[in-house]
Amino acid sequence: MLISIMHDHLSSTFAALADPTRRAILARLASGETSVAELAKPFKISPPAVTKHLKVLERAGLITRGRHAQWRPCKLEAVPLKEASDWIEQYRRHWEQRLDRLEEYLRHLQSKEPSHGRGNKGE
Amino acid sequence: MLISIMHDHLSSTFAALADPTRRAILARLASGETSVAELAKPFKISPPAVTKHLKVLERAGLITRGRHAQWRPCKLEAVPLKEASDWIEQYRRHWEQRLDRLEEYLRHLQSKEPSHGRGNKGE
């Protein structure tokens, strides 16, 4: 089995999400479309730096921008996130098993711990 | 509100997933731990290149490697994927709404389409 190493949608989506500013921009856009100036406000970075992040998000299909010359509002496009979610979901069984084992281990440790006077019997 | 632009776990996880070879490695490890040589087989890249990818996955906490000098088996650690899944999940409502609207639009188009003799009335 040969796996081709092509640039693909899923890689673009994950790469776009691999930055806290870009994730914060998506979070802001989840509450409605807005301008670049408005998006730049909570960040310690310039509007041109925000524009760079927007380009990464736009290439990944995670946002679209309006076509008005002066005000080009940004809008969240969540559909590529479905593909990312679907990919991650196939590992759910693995992390749930892992967390179950951790929980079991912690319960085992607690049952072995010397009691500190809360509901302890016979010591 | 200032948002700090620090390197964080979630960014490392998404960056590690932003590559088809690394995702294929995780998929292989989901069926059990294995050696680097074994992992390299399906890819058109050298074992050192695979080792590079493994380092990215290891730094993101997505795999661990055994400590035997000769055979250092790689093992999937799916827990960081839970955090990534939780982050994406908050947008589920958005993509579901979007897909519902698309479906509705397609249904609307189909109802307007000139019929091709399947159950059409009055034309």
Side-chain angles (χ1 to χ4, degrees), chain A residues 1-6 8 10-11 14-15 17-21 23-24 26-27 30-31 41-44 75-79 81-82 84-85 87-89 91-95 98-99, chain B residues 1-6 8 10-11 14-15 17-21 23-24 26-27 30-31 41-45 75-79 81-82 84-85 87-89 91-95 98-99:
Chain A
M1 176 181 58
L2 283 173
I3 293 152
S4 66
I5 319 292
M6 284 170 61
D8 57 331
L10 201 45
S11 296
F14 283 131
L17 300 180
D19 182 279
T21 306
R23 291 197 303 277
L26 292 179
S31 59
K41 276 187 189 166
F43 302 102
K44 265 184 169 166
K75 194 176 161 233
L76 175 70
E77 299 290 347
V79 174
L81 294 176
K82 184 189 183 302
S85 172
W87 187 86
I88 293 180
E89 271 308 301
Y91 298 91
R92 173 177 293 276
R93 182 173 60 86
H94 293 271
W95 78 67
R98 179 75 170 147
L99 294 173
Chain B
M1 174 184 62
L2 284 171
I3 293 153
S4 66
I5 320 291
M6 284 169 58
D8 58 331
L10 201 47
S11 295
F14 283 132
L17 300 180
D19 182 279
T21 306
R23 291 197 303 278
L26 292 179
S31 59
K41 275 186 190 166
F43 302 103
K44 264 184 170 166
I45 55 178
K75 193 178 160 232
L76 175 70
E77 300 290 345
V79 174
L81 294 176
K82 184 189 184 303
S85 172
W87 187 87
I88 293 179
E89 270 308 300
Y91 297 91
R92 175 177 291 277
R93 183 174 58 87
H94 292 271
W95 78 66
R98 179 74 170 147
L99 294 173

Coordinates of all heavy atoms in Angstrom, one line a residue, chain A residues 1-6 8 10-11 14-15 17-21 23-24 26-27 30-31 41-44 75-79 81-82 84-85 87-89 91-95 98-99, chain B residues 1-6 8 10-11 14-15 17-21 23-24 26-27 30-31 41-45 75-79 81-82 84-85 87-89 91-95 98-99:
Chain A
M1 N 0.8 -1.2 0.0 CA 0.0 0.0 0.0 C 0.9 1.3 0.0 O 1.7 1.5 0.9 CB -0.9 0.0 1.3 CG -1.7 1.2 1.4 SD -2.7 1.2 2.9 CE -1.5 1.0 4.2
L2 N 0.7 2.0 -1.0 CA 1.4 3.3 -1.1 C 0.5 4.5 -0.7 O -0.6 4.5 -1.2 CB 2.0 3.6 -2.5 CG 3.3 2.7 -2.8 CD1 3.7 2.9 -4.2 CD2 4.4 3.2 -1.8
I3 N 0.9 5.3 0.1 CA 0.1 6.5 0.5 C 0.7 7.7 -0.1 O 1.8 8.1 0.1 CB 0.0 6.6 2.0 CG1 -0.8 5.3 2.6 CG2 -0.7 7.8 2.5 CD1 -0.4 4.9 3.9
S4 N -0.1 8.4 -0.9 CA 0.4 9.6 -1.6 C 0.5 10.8 -0.6 O -0.3 10.9 0.2 CB -0.4 10.0 -2.8 OG -1.7 10.4 -2.3
I5 N 1.6 11.5 -0.8 CA 1.9 12.6 0.2 C 1.5 13.9 -0.5 O 2.3 14.8 -0.8 CB 3.4 12.6 0.5 CG1 4.0 11.2 0.7 CG2 3.7 13.5 1.7 CD1 3.4 10.5 1.9
M6 N 0.2 14.1 -0.8 CA -0.3 15.3 -1.5 C -0.8 16.2 -0.5 O -1.3 15.9 0.6 CB -1.4 14.9 -2.4 CG -0.9 14.2 -3.7 SD -2.3 13.6 -4.6 CE -3.2 15.1 -4.9
D8 N -3.7 18.2 0.9 CA -5.1 17.9 0.8 C -5.9 18.8 1.7 O -5.3 19.5 2.6 CB -5.2 16.4 1.2 CG -4.6 16.1 2.6 OD1 -3.7 16.8 3.0 OD2 -5.1 15.2 3.3
L10 N -7.8 18.1 4.3 CA -7.8 17.8 5.7 C -6.5 18.4 6.3 O -6.5 19.0 7.4 CB -7.8 16.3 5.9 CG -8.2 15.7 7.2 CD1 -9.5 16.4 7.8 CD2 -8.5 14.2 7.1
S11 N -5.4 18.3 5.6 CA -4.1 18.9 6.0 C -4.3 20.4 6.1 O -3.8 21.1 7.1 CB -3.0 18.6 5.1 OG -2.7 17.2 5.2
F14 N -6.3 21.3 9.3 CA -5.6 21.1 10.5 C -4.5 22.2 10.7 O -4.3 22.7 11.7 CB -5.0 19.7 10.6 CG -6.0 18.6 11.0 CD1 -6.1 17.4 10.3 CD2 -6.9 18.8 12.1 CE1 -7.0 16.5 10.6 CE2 -7.8 17.8 12.5 CZ -7.9 16.6 11.7
A15 N -3.8 22.5 9.6 CA -2.8 23.5 9.6 C -3.4 24.9 10.0 O -2.8 25.6 10.8 CB -2.0 23.6 8.3
L17 N -5.9 25.4 11.8 CA -6.3 25.3 13.2 C -5.1 25.3 14.2 O -5.3 25.5 15.4 CB -7.2 24.1 13.5 CG -8.5 24.0 12.7 CD1 -9.2 22.7 13.1 CD2 -9.4 25.2 12.9
A18 N -3.9 25.1 13.7 CA -2.8 25.0 14.5 C -2.2 26.3 15.0 O -1.0 26.5 15.0 CB -1.7 24.2 13.8
D19 N -3.0 27.2 15.3 CA -2.6 28.6 15.7 C -3.7 29.2 16.6 O -4.8 29.3 16.2 CB -2.4 29.4 14.5 CG -1.8 30.8 14.9 OD1 -2.7 31.7 15.2 OD2 -0.6 31.0 14.8
P20 N -3.3 29.6 17.8 CA -4.3 30.2 18.7 C -5.0 31.4 18.2 O -6.2 31.6 18.5 CB -3.5 30.4 20.0 CG -2.1 30.4 19.6 CD -2.0 29.6 18.4
T21 N -4.3 32.3 17.5 CA -5.0 33.5 16.9 C -6.0 33.1 15.9 O -7.2 33.6 15.9 CB -4.0 34.4 16.3 OG1 -2.9 34.7 17.2 CG2 -4.6 35.7 15.8
R23 N -7.6 30.3 15.8 CA -8.8 29.6 16.4 C -9.6 30.7 17.1 O -10.9 30.6 17.1 CB -8.3 28.6 17.5 CG -7.7 27.4 16.8 CD -7.6 26.2 17.8 NE -6.8 26.5 19.0 CZ -5.5 26.4 19.1 NH1 -4.7 26.1 18.0 NH2 -4.9 26.7 20.2
A24 N -9.0 31.7 17.7 CA -9.7 32.8 18.3 C -10.6 33.6 17.3 O -11.7 34.0 17.6 CB -8.8 33.7 19.1
L26 N -11.8 32.3 14.5 CA -13.0 31.5 14.2 C -14.0 31.6 15.4 O -15.3 31.6 15.1 CB -12.6 30.0 14.0 CG -11.7 29.7 12.8 CD1 -11.4 28.2 12.7 CD2 -12.4 30.1 11.5
A27 N -13.6 31.6 16.6 CA -14.5 31.7 17.7 C -15.3 33.0 17.7 O -16.5 33.0 17.9 CB -13.7 31.6 19.1
A30 N -17.9 32.9 15.0 CA -19.0 32.0 15.3 C -20.2 32.8 15.8 O -21.4 32.3 15.7 CB -18.6 30.9 16.3
S31 N -20.0 34.0 16.4 CA -21.1 34.8 16.8 C -21.6 35.8 15.8 O -22.4 36.7 16.1 CB -20.7 35.5 18.2 OG -19.6 36.3 18.0
K41 N -9.1 43.9 16.9 CA -9.1 44.5 18.2 C -8.6 43.7 19.4 O -7.8 44.2 20.2 CB -10.5 45.1 18.5 CG -10.8 46.4 17.8 CD -12.1 47.0 18.3 CE -12.5 48.2 17.5 NZ -13.9 48.6 17.6
P42 N -9.0 42.5 19.6 CA -8.6 41.8 20.8 C -7.1 41.3 20.8 O -6.6 40.8 21.8 CB -9.5 40.6 20.9 CG -10.4 40.6 19.7 CD -9.9 41.6 18.8
F43 N -6.5 41.5 19.6 CA -5.1 40.9 19.5 C -4.1 42.0 19.6 O -4.3 43.1 19.2 CB -5.0 40.2 18.2 CG -6.0 39.1 18.0 CD1 -7.1 39.2 17.2 CD2 -5.8 37.9 18.7 CE1 -8.1 38.2 17.1 CE2 -6.8 36.9 18.6 CZ -7.9 37.0 17.8
K44 N -2.9 41.6 20.0 CA -1.8 42.5 20.1 C -1.1 42.6 18.7 O 0.1 42.8 18.7 CB -0.8 42.0 21.2 CG -1.0 42.7 22.5 CD 0.1 42.2 23.4 CE 0.1 43.0 24.7 NZ 1.0 42.4 25.8
K75 N -16.8 35.7 7.3 CA -17.8 34.9 7.7 C -17.3 33.4 7.9 O -16.5 32.9 7.1 CB -18.9 34.8 6.6 CG -20.2 34.3 7.0 CD -21.2 34.3 5.9 CE -22.3 33.4 6.1 NZ -22.6 32.5 5.0
L76 N -17.7 32.8 9.1 CA -17.3 31.5 9.4 C -17.9 30.5 8.4 O -19.1 30.6 8.1 CB -17.7 31.1 10.8 CG -17.5 29.7 11.3 CD1 -16.0 29.4 11.5 CD2 -18.3 29.4 12.5
E77 N -17.1 29.5 7.9 CA -17.7 28.4 7.1 C -17.2 27.1 7.8 O -16.1 26.7 7.6 CB -17.1 28.5 5.6 CG -17.4 29.7 4.9 CD -18.8 29.9 4.5 OE1 -19.6 28.9 4.5 OE2 -19.2 31.0 4.1
A78 N -18.1 26.6 8.5 CA -17.8 25.5 9.4 C -17.7 24.1 8.8 O -17.2 23.2 9.4 CB -18.8 25.5 10.6
V79 N -18.1 24.0 7.5 CA -18.2 22.7 6.9 C -16.9 21.9 6.9 O -16.9 20.7 7.2 CB -18.9 22.7 5.5 CG1 -18.9 21.4 4.8 CG2 -20.4 23.1 5.7
L81 N -14.8 21.7 9.0 CA -14.6 21.2 10.4 C -15.2 19.8 10.5 O -14.8 19.0 11.4 CB -15.1 22.2 11.4 CG -14.3 23.5 11.5 CD1 -15.0 24.4 12.5 CD2 -12.9 23.3 11.9
K82 N -16.3 19.6 9.7 CA -17.0 18.3 9.8 C -16.0 17.2 9.4 O -15.9 16.2 10.1 CB -18.2 18.3 8.9 CG -19.0 17.0 9.1 CD -20.1 16.9 8.0 CE -20.9 15.6 8.3 NZ -20.1 14.4 8.2
A84 N -12.8 17.3 9.5 CA -11.8 17.1 10.6 C -12.3 16.3 11.8 O -11.7 15.5 12.3 CB -11.3 18.5 11.0
S85 N -13.6 16.7 12.1 CA -14.2 16.0 13.2 C -14.4 14.5 12.9 O -14.1 13.6 13.8 CB -15.6 16.6 13.5 OG -16.3 15.9 14.4
W87 N -12.6 12.7 11.0 CA -11.3 12.0 11.0 C -10.9 11.7 12.5 O -10.5 10.6 12.8 CB -10.2 12.8 10.4 CG -8.9 12.1 10.3 CD1 -8.5 11.2 9.3 CD2 -7.9 12.0 11.3 NE1 -7.3 10.6 9.6 CE2 -6.9 11.1 10.8 CE3 -7.7 12.6 12.5 CZ2 -5.8 10.8 11.5 CZ3 -6.6 12.3 13.2 CH2 -5.6 11.4 12.7
I88 N -11.1 12.7 13.4 CA -10.7 12.5 14.8 C -11.6 11.4 15.4 O -11.1 10.6 16.3 CB -10.7 13.8 15.5 CG1 -9.6 14.8 15.0 CG2 -10.5 13.6 17.0 CD1 -9.6 16.1 15.7
E89 N -12.9 11.4 15.1 CA -13.8 10.5 15.7 C -13.4 9.1 15.7 O -13.8 8.3 16.6 CB -15.2 10.7 15.1 CG -16.1 11.7 15.7 CD -16.2 11.6 17.2 OE1 -16.7 10.6 17.6 OE2 -15.8 12.5 17.9
Y91 N -10.8 7.8 16.4 CA -9.9 7.5 17.5 C -10.6 7.6 18.9 O -10.0 7.4 19.9 CB -8.7 8.4 17.5 CG -7.9 8.1 16.2 CD1 -8.1 8.9 15.1 CD2 -7.0 7.1 16.1 CE1 -7.5 8.6 13.9 CE2 -6.3 6.8 15.0 CZ -6.5 7.6 13.8 OH -5.9 7.3 12.7
R92 N -11.9 7.9 18.9 CA -12.6 8.1 20.1 C -12.5 6.9 21.0 O -12.2 7.0 22.2 CB -14.1 8.4 19.9 CG -15.0 8.5 21.1 CD -16.4 8.9 20.8 NE -16.5 10.3 20.4 CZ -16.5 11.3 21.2 NH1 -16.5 11.2 22.5 NH2 -16.6 12.6 20.7
R93 N -12.7 5.7 20.5 CA -12.6 4.5 21.2 C -11.3 4.4 21.9 O -11.2 4.0 23.1 CB -12.7 3.3 20.2 CG -12.7 1.9 20.8 CD -13.0 0.9 19.7 NE -12.1 0.9 18.5 CZ -10.9 0.2 18.5 NH1 -10.6 -0.5 19.5 NH2 -10.1 0.3 17.5
H94 N -10.2 4.8 21.3 CA -8.9 4.7 21.8 C -8.7 5.6 23.0 O -8.2 5.2 24.1 CB -7.8 5.1 20.8 CG -7.7 4.0 19.7 ND1 -6.9 2.9 19.8 CD2 -8.4 3.9 18.5 CE1 -7.0 2.2 18.7 NE2 -7.9 2.8 17.9
W95 N -9.1 6.9 22.9 CA -9.0 7.8 24.1 C -9.9 7.5 25.2 O -9.5 7.6 26.4 CB -8.9 9.3 23.7 CG -10.2 10.0 23.4 CD1 -11.2 10.3 24.3 CD2 -10.7 10.6 22.2 NE1 -12.2 11.0 23.7 CE2 -11.9 11.2 22.4 CE3 -10.1 10.6 20.9 CZ2 -12.6 11.8 21.4 CZ3 -10.8 11.3 19.9 CH2 -12.1 11.8 20.2
R98 N -8.4 4.6 27.1 CA -7.2 5.1 27.8 C -7.7 5.8 29.1 O -7.1 5.6 30.2 CB -6.4 6.0 26.9 CG -5.2 6.7 27.5 CD -4.1 5.6 27.7 NE -2.9 6.3 28.1 CZ -2.0 5.8 28.8 NH1 -2.1 4.5 29.3 NH2 -0.9 6.4 29.1
L99 N -8.7 6.7 29.0 CA -9.2 7.5 30.1 C -9.9 6.5 31.1 O -9.8 6.7 32.3 CB -10.1 8.6 29.6 CG -9.4 9.7 28.8 CD1 -10.4 10.7 28.3 CD2 -8.4 10.4 29.7
Chain B
M1 N -10.2 42.4 25.8 CA -9.7 41.0 25.9 C -8.4 40.8 25.1 O -8.4 40.9 23.9 CB -10.8 40.1 25.4 CG -10.4 38.6 25.4 SD -11.7 37.5 24.7 CE -11.9 38.2 23.0
L2 N -7.4 40.4 25.7 CA -6.1 40.1 25.0 C -6.0 38.6 25.0 O -6.1 37.9 26.0 CB -4.9 40.8 25.7 CG -4.8 42.3 25.5 CD1 -3.7 42.8 26.4 CD2 -4.5 42.5 24.0
I3 N -5.6 38.1 23.8 CA -5.4 36.7 23.7 C -4.0 36.4 23.5 O -3.3 36.9 22.6 CB -6.3 36.1 22.6 CG1 -7.8 36.3 22.9 CG2 -6.0 34.7 22.3 CD1 -8.7 36.4 21.8
S4 N -3.4 35.6 24.4 CA -1.9 35.4 24.3 C -1.6 34.4 23.2 O -2.4 33.5 22.9 CB -1.4 34.8 25.6 OG -1.9 33.6 25.9
I5 N -0.5 34.7 22.5 CA -0.2 33.9 21.3 C 0.9 33.0 21.7 O 2.1 33.1 21.3 CB 0.3 34.9 20.2 CG1 -0.6 36.1 20.1 CG2 0.3 34.2 18.8 CD1 -2.0 35.9 19.6
M6 N 0.6 32.1 22.6 CA 1.6 31.1 23.1 C 1.5 29.8 22.3 O 0.4 29.5 21.9 CB 1.4 30.9 24.6 CG 1.9 32.0 25.4 SD 1.3 31.7 27.1 CE 2.0 30.1 27.5
D8 N 0.8 26.2 22.3 CA 0.0 25.4 23.2 C -0.2 24.0 22.8 O 0.1 23.7 21.6 CB -1.3 26.2 23.4 CG -2.0 26.4 22.1 OD1 -1.3 26.4 21.0 OD2 -3.2 26.4 22.1
L10 N -3.0 22.4 22.1 CA -3.9 22.2 21.0 C -3.3 22.5 19.6 O -3.5 21.8 18.6 CB -5.1 23.1 21.3 CG -6.4 22.9 20.6 CD1 -6.8 21.4 20.7 CD2 -7.5 23.7 21.3
S11 N -2.4 23.6 19.6 CA -1.7 23.9 18.3 C -0.8 22.8 17.9 O -0.7 22.5 16.7 CB -1.0 25.3 18.5 OG -1.9 26.3 18.7
F14 N -2.9 20.0 16.4 CA -3.4 20.2 15.1 C -2.3 20.3 14.1 O -2.4 19.8 12.9 CB -4.2 21.6 15.0 CG -5.6 21.5 15.6 CD1 -6.1 22.4 16.5 CD2 -6.4 20.4 15.2 CE1 -7.3 22.3 17.1 CE2 -7.7 20.3 15.7 CZ -8.2 21.3 16.6
A15 N -1.1 20.8 14.5 CA 0.1 20.9 13.5 C 0.5 19.5 13.2 O 0.9 19.2 12.1 CB 1.2 21.7 14.2
L17 N -1.3 16.9 13.1 CA -2.3 16.2 12.2 C -2.3 16.8 10.8 O -3.0 16.2 9.9 CB -3.7 16.3 12.9 CG -3.9 15.7 14.2 CD1 -5.3 15.9 14.7 CD2 -3.5 14.3 14.3
A18 N -1.6 17.9 10.6 CA -1.7 18.6 9.3 C -0.8 18.0 8.3 O -0.1 18.7 7.5 CB -1.4 20.1 9.5
D19 N -0.6 16.7 8.3 CA 0.2 16.0 7.3 C -0.3 14.6 7.1 O -0.5 13.8 8.0 CB 1.6 15.9 7.9 CG 2.6 15.3 6.9 OD1 2.6 14.0 6.9 OD2 3.3 16.0 6.2
P20 N -0.5 14.2 5.8 CA -1.1 12.9 5.5 C -0.3 11.7 6.0 O -0.8 10.7 6.3 CB -1.3 12.9 4.0 CG -0.5 14.1 3.5 CD -0.3 15.0 4.6
T21 N 1.1 11.9 5.9 CA 1.9 10.8 6.4 C 1.7 10.6 7.8 O 1.6 9.4 8.3 CB 3.4 11.1 6.1 OG1 3.6 11.4 4.7 CG2 4.3 9.9 6.4
R23 N -0.8 11.4 9.7 CA -2.2 10.8 9.9 C -2.2 9.3 9.6 O -2.8 8.5 10.3 CB -3.2 11.5 9.1 CG -3.5 13.0 9.6 CD -4.8 13.5 9.2 NE -4.9 13.5 7.7 CZ -4.4 14.5 6.9 NH1 -3.7 15.5 7.4 NH2 -4.6 14.4 5.6
A24 N -1.5 8.9 8.5 CA -1.4 7.5 8.1 C -0.7 6.7 9.2 O -1.0 5.6 9.5 CB -0.8 7.4 6.8
L26 N -0.6 7.4 12.4 CA -1.5 7.2 13.5 C -2.5 6.1 13.2 O -2.8 5.3 14.1 CB -2.2 8.5 13.8 CG -1.3 9.7 14.4 CD1 -2.2 10.9 14.7 CD2 -0.7 9.2 15.7
A27 N -3.0 6.1 12.0 CA -4.0 5.1 11.6 C -3.4 3.7 11.7 O -4.0 2.8 12.2 CB -4.4 5.3 10.1
A30 N -3.1 2.7 15.3 CA -4.4 2.4 15.9 C -4.6 0.9 16.0 O -5.4 0.4 16.8 CB -5.5 3.1 15.2
S31 N -4.0 0.1 15.1 CA -4.2 -1.3 15.1 C -3.1 -2.0 16.0 O -3.1 -3.3 16.0 CB -4.3 -1.9 13.7 OG -3.1 -1.6 13.0
K41 N 7.4 1.1 5.8 CA 7.1 0.2 4.7 C 6.1 0.8 3.7 O 6.4 0.8 2.5 CB 6.7 -1.2 5.1 CG 7.9 -2.1 5.3 CD 7.5 -3.5 5.6 CE 8.6 -4.4 6.1 NZ 8.2 -5.6 6.7
P42 N 4.9 1.3 4.1 CA 3.9 1.7 3.1 C 4.3 3.0 2.4 O 3.6 3.4 1.5 CB 2.6 1.8 3.9 CG 2.9 1.5 5.3 CD 4.4 1.4 5.5
F43 N 5.3 3.7 2.9 CA 5.6 5.1 2.4 C 6.8 5.1 1.5 O 7.7 4.2 1.6 CB 5.9 6.0 3.6 CG 4.8 6.1 4.6 CD1 4.8 5.4 5.8 CD2 3.6 6.8 4.3 CE1 3.8 5.4 6.7 CE2 2.6 6.8 5.2 CZ 2.6 6.1 6.4
K44 N 6.7 6.1 0.6 CA 7.9 6.2 -0.4 C 9.0 7.0 0.3 O 9.7 7.8 -0.4 CB 7.3 6.9 -1.6 CG 7.0 5.9 -2.8 CD 6.6 6.7 -4.0 CE 6.4 5.8 -5.2 NZ 5.8 6.6 -6.3
I45 N 9.1 7.0 1.6 CA 10.1 7.8 2.2 C 11.0 7.0 3.1 O 10.6 5.8 3.4 CB 9.5 9.0 3.0 CG1 8.5 8.4 4.1 CG2 8.8 10.0 2.1 CD1 7.9 9.5 4.9
K75 N 3.8 3.7 19.9 CA 2.4 3.4 20.4 C 1.5 4.6 20.3 O 2.0 5.7 20.6 CB 2.6 3.0 21.9 CG 1.3 2.3 22.5 CD 1.6 1.9 23.9 CE 0.3 1.7 24.6 NZ 0.2 2.4 25.9
L76 N 0.3 4.5 19.8 CA -0.6 5.6 19.7 C -1.1 6.0 21.1 O -1.3 5.2 22.0 CB -1.9 5.1 19.0 CG -3.1 6.1 18.9 CD1 -2.7 7.2 18.0 CD2 -4.3 5.3 18.4
E77 N -1.1 7.3 21.3 CA -1.6 7.9 22.6 C -2.7 8.9 22.1 O -2.5 10.0 21.7 CB -0.5 8.7 23.3 CG 0.6 7.9 23.8 CD 0.3 6.9 24.9 OE1 -0.8 7.0 25.5 OE2 1.1 6.0 25.1
A78 N -4.0 8.4 22.2 CA -5.1 9.1 21.6 C -5.6 10.3 22.4 O -6.4 11.1 21.9 CB -6.2 8.2 21.2
V79 N -5.2 10.4 23.7 CA -5.8 11.4 24.6 C -5.8 12.8 24.1 O -6.8 13.6 24.2 CB -5.3 11.2 26.1 CG1 -5.8 12.4 26.9 CG2 -5.8 9.9 26.6
L81 N -6.1 13.8 21.2 CA -7.2 14.0 20.2 C -8.5 14.3 20.8 O -9.4 14.9 20.2 CB -7.3 12.7 19.4 CG -6.1 12.3 18.6 CD1 -6.3 10.9 17.9 CD2 -5.9 13.4 17.5
K82 N -8.7 14.0 22.1 CA -10.0 14.3 22.8 C -10.1 15.9 22.9 O -11.2 16.4 22.6 CB -10.0 13.7 24.2 CG -11.3 14.0 24.9 CD -11.3 13.6 26.3 CE -12.7 13.8 27.0 NZ -13.2 15.2 26.9
A84 N -8.7 18.0 20.9 CA -8.9 18.5 19.6 C -10.4 18.3 19.2 O -11.0 19.2 18.6 CB -8.0 17.8 18.6
S85 N -10.9 17.2 19.5 CA -12.3 16.9 19.2 C -13.3 17.8 20.0 O -14.2 18.3 19.4 CB -12.6 15.4 19.6 OG -14.0 15.1 19.5
W87 N -12.6 20.8 21.0 CA -12.6 22.1 20.4 C -13.4 22.2 19.1 O -14.2 23.1 19.0 CB -11.1 22.5 20.1 CG -11.0 23.9 19.6 CD1 -10.9 25.1 20.4 CD2 -11.2 24.4 18.3 NE1 -11.0 26.2 19.7 CE2 -11.1 25.8 18.3 CE3 -11.4 23.8 17.0 CZ2 -11.2 26.6 17.2 CZ3 -11.5 24.6 15.9 CH2 -11.4 26.0 16.0
I88 N -13.3 21.2 18.3 CA -14.1 21.2 17.0 C -15.6 21.1 17.3 O -16.4 21.7 16.6 CB -13.6 20.1 16.1 CG1 -12.1 20.4 15.6 CG2 -14.5 19.9 14.8 CD1 -11.5 19.3 14.7
E89 N -15.9 20.3 18.3 CA -17.3 20.0 18.5 C -18.2 21.3 18.7 O -19.4 21.3 18.4 CB -17.5 19.2 19.8 CG -17.5 17.7 19.5 CD -18.5 17.3 18.5 OE1 -19.7 17.5 18.7 OE2 -18.0 16.7 17.4
Y91 N -18.3 23.8 17.1 CA -18.8 24.3 15.8 C -19.8 23.4 15.1 O -20.2 23.7 14.0 CB -17.6 24.6 14.9 CG -16.7 25.7 15.5 CD1 -15.6 25.3 16.3 CD2 -17.0 27.0 15.3 CE1 -14.9 26.3 16.9 CE2 -16.2 28.0 15.9 CZ -15.1 27.6 16.7 OH -14.4 28.6 17.4
R92 N -20.1 22.3 15.7 CA -21.0 21.3 15.1 C -22.3 21.9 14.6 O -22.8 21.7 13.5 CB -21.3 20.1 16.1 CG -22.3 19.1 15.5 CD -22.5 17.9 16.5 NE -21.3 17.1 16.5 CZ -21.1 16.1 15.6 NH1 -21.9 15.9 14.6 NH2 -20.0 15.4 15.7
R93 N -22.9 22.7 15.6 CA -24.1 23.4 15.3 C -24.0 24.2 13.9 O -24.9 24.2 13.1 CB -24.5 24.4 16.4 CG -25.7 25.1 16.4 CD -25.9 25.9 17.7 NE -24.9 26.8 18.0 CZ -24.8 28.1 17.6 NH1 -25.7 28.6 16.8 NH2 -23.8 28.9 17.9
H94 N -22.9 24.9 13.8 CA -22.7 25.7 12.6 C -22.6 24.9 11.3 O -23.3 25.2 10.3 CB -21.4 26.5 12.7 CG -21.4 27.5 13.8 ND1 -21.9 28.8 13.5 CD2 -21.1 27.5 15.1 CE1 -21.9 29.5 14.7 NE2 -21.4 28.7 15.6
W95 N -21.9 23.7 11.3 CA -21.8 23.0 10.0 C -23.1 22.2 9.8 O -23.5 22.1 8.7 CB -20.5 22.1 9.9 CG -20.5 20.8 10.7 CD1 -21.2 19.7 10.4 CD2 -19.6 20.5 11.7 NE1 -20.9 18.7 11.3 CE2 -19.8 19.1 12.1 CE3 -18.6 21.2 12.4 CZ2 -19.1 18.5 13.1 CZ3 -17.9 20.5 13.4 CH2 -18.1 19.2 13.7
R98 N -25.5 24.6 8.3 CA -25.1 24.9 6.9 C -25.5 23.8 6.0 O -26.0 24.0 4.9 CB -23.5 25.1 6.9 CG -22.9 25.4 5.6 CD -23.2 26.8 5.1 NE -22.4 27.1 3.9 CZ -22.9 27.9 3.0 NH1 -24.0 28.5 3.1 NH2 -22.1 28.2 2.0
L99 N -25.2 22.5 6.4 CA -25.6 21.4 5.6 C -27.1 21.2 5.4 O -27.6 20.9 4.4 CB -24.9 20.1 6.2 CG -23.4 20.1 6.1 CD1 -22.8 18.9 6.8 CD2 -22.9 20.1 4.7

